[in-house]
Amino acid sequence: MGIPYLACMALVASLYHLPPRVLPAIQAVEGGYPGQEHPNTNGTRDLGVMQVNTAWLGPLVRYTGTPMATVYRRLRDDACYNIAAAGAIMRTQMDATHDGLLRAVGNYHSHTPDLNRAYQLQVMQSAARLFAAAQTGR
């Protein structure tokens, strides 16, 4: 089974010093695709391949110096841009927490403890499915 956008994910993981398997595992849980917008009950939306939440628009606009409408459109429609934003978010979460990778993965989804832990488990299960052959040497 191939992993969509693997080249973008590998480059972004390298740039942000992330484990190379974390972005594919998150994407498999998120299940996003270019052009996708998913409304959330809190009024935000999840966009694109990695389902980047619109709560990140402000920080991404400030970081890139790009107009908000452009960032929104690119997050929604441009897979590699979306993956790069997800990598930046993961790096931010890893730098903000001293609890390691799994807490940062959970924070990608939610800072609410129960939701955070449930998401960590989903991503770990996703990684196990995606990379089972590599782990067993097949």
Side-chain angles (χ1 to χ4, degrees):
M1 166 177 68
I3 298 171
Y5 317 111
L6 186 58
C8 289
M9 291 181 187
L11 176 61
V12 169
S14 176
L15 289 172
Y16 287 109
H17 306 286
L18 300 171
R21 296 178 178 186
V22 72
L23 294 173
I26 290 172
Q27 197 284 322
V29 170
E30 294 295 341
Y33 53 86
Q36 184 178 25
E37 290 187 44
H38 180 267
N40 297 309
T41 57
N42 66 359
T44 63
R45 300 178 82 72
D46 294 332
L47 304 174
V49 172
M50 301 293 288
Q51 292 291 275
V52 173
N53 191 280
T54 55
W56 287 98
L57 278 174
L60 290 168
V61 165
R62 286 188 297 279
Y63 180 73
T64 63
T66 305
M68 187 167 296
T70 302
V71 172
Y72 187 98
R73 180 185 50 75
R74 290 194 71 193
L75 282 173
R76 185 190 62 208
D77 300 335
D78 182 334
C80 285
Y81 187 91
N82 186 279
I83 291 164
I89 292 165
M90 279 299 301
R91 180 77 264 156
T92 298
Q93 295 304 313
M94 288 186 69
D95 291 347
T97 181
H98 301 290
D99 294 331
L101 177 64
L102 285 177
R103 178 58 61 101
V105 165
N107 285 350
Y108 183 85
H109 177 71
S110 176
H111 289 266
T112 303
D114 289 344
L115 297 174
N116 184 299
R117 284 188 295 274
Y119 191 77
Q120 288 178 40
L121 181 59
Q122 284 181 295
V123 172
M124 286 189 301
Q125 291 169 338
S126 170
R129 281 189 304 276
L130 285 172
F131 301 105
Q135 292 171 352
T136 61
R138 287 186 259 153

